[in-house]
Every structure is written in C-alpha cells, then in structure tokens.
Amino acid sequence: MEQYFAYGDRETDYLRQRDSKLAEAIERLGRPRRRVMPDLFQALTWSILGQQISTKVCEAVWSRMLEGLGEVTPGRVMEESVASLQKFGTSFRKAGYIHSIAEQIVTGAFDLDALREMDDAEVCERLCTLPGVGVWTAEMIMLHSMQRPDIVSYGDLAIRRGMCRVYHHSKLTREMFERHRRRRNSQILIAPV
C-alpha cells in the first residue's frame, strides 16, 4: 500500500500566512499528495537507482529489482553479487553503491535506525559518508522517507523551477533561494503516517 507525506490544514495555513506568493500557489494548485517510502534502506536504494534518470526508468528498474529479489533488504541485497544487481538495469557503479551500503548495514558499520534520532544536519552528514550519497540524495531521504518537514533542496531542479514560477524569477540564485526558504521555514512537526 502506498503511503503519502502526512500534513494537513495546520501546515498549509502556516505557509499561507508566511508567504503570500506561496499562498496563491497553494490556492491554485491544491494539496499535492507526495508518496513516501518509510523503509530507509529501500529509500536509499530507490534514490541511488533514480540518480540522473527519469522516474519512469527508475520505476522499471525498481520493479525488476523487486521481482528478482522478492524484497529489497540489506540481507537480500548481500546475497547477490554486484554484477547480479546490475542485471536489473542499473549501472555497475550504482549496483556497487547499493551493495556496499547493504554490507555496511548488515555488518553494523552503519546504523540506519540511529538516523531517526538525529537532527537534519547530522542526518545529512552521516548519510553523505555512504558511497553514492551526496547532499541531494540525503535531503531526498529526509523528505521522502523520514518525512522531515523543513527540507527544501537547492540541489533539486524541480524545486528550483517551482520557486522560479511561484516568485516569477527567470533564474534562481542560491541567495534568492535561501531568502525564500527562510521565509517559509517552519518549526511545525509533522507526525509520520
């Protein structure tokens, strides 16, 4: 069963009050449903598979992986070779990243559950120690798996394009991005589903 990012009127009302342009966009577009993947290992695997490819291609690779493995867990991934993982349709490098992350989790070198107790900066720093994980991937994990409400990624092209549309900019500098991000930055806690 698909799960979606949990938020409601409290959060959208807060954003409307903080930013009139964002209020207009919320009114015009309505409430988006944002799919989440609560399992951190699956979310990491999905994020690595999806780097620099379309969502449609990522979904096809993910489906083949699910079908081939039965389940995407660190233990199950460790039962396969990197070459075997690559046969699902991903690059050898990405297969290596996924295999290495699974190995670190299985051996206890990396504790995924500990991330849930860390603040955003700590989670980002810790995730970025994993092969194939940079700031953008860490931010996507915090947003689409951990459901952290205050993640707005400058590294995400769709977010920057959306901000350009909302604020009528032809391009968005880092400074402009930070100004808009700070304006809407909330301290609202959203309970996971």
Side-chain angles (χ1 to χ4, degrees), residues 15-34:
L15 293 173
R16 282 184 181 108
Q17 292 170 3
R18 298 284 297 175
D19 188 325
S20 63
K21 295 278 187 197
L22 199 50
E24 291 172 19
I26 291 168
E27 188 63 35
R28 186 174 66 252
L29 300 172
R31 181 176 296 178
R33 285 177 40 141
R34 197 68 172 130

Side-chain angles (χ1 to χ4, degrees), residues 55-91:
T55 301
K56 186 175 182 177
V57 171
C58 184
E59 287 173 354
V61 174
W62 180 255
S63 291
R64 287 192 293 269
M65 186 174 273
L66 276 175
E67 186 177 317
L69 297 178
E71 60 181 347
V72 180
T73 64
R76 186 64 191 93
V77 166
M78 283 300 299
E79 293 173 7
E80 303 292 327
S81 68
V82 172
S84 176
L85 293 174
Q86 191 217 356
K87 290 179 183 174
F88 296 124
T90 191
S91 70

Side-chain angles (χ1 to χ4, degrees), residues 124-143:
C124 188
E125 182 179 335
R126 186 72 179 116
L127 283 172
C128 286
T129 66
L130 294 172
V133 177
V135 172
W136 177 83
T137 301
E139 289 171 337
M140 295 303 103
I141 295 298
M142 286 188 284
L143 184 61

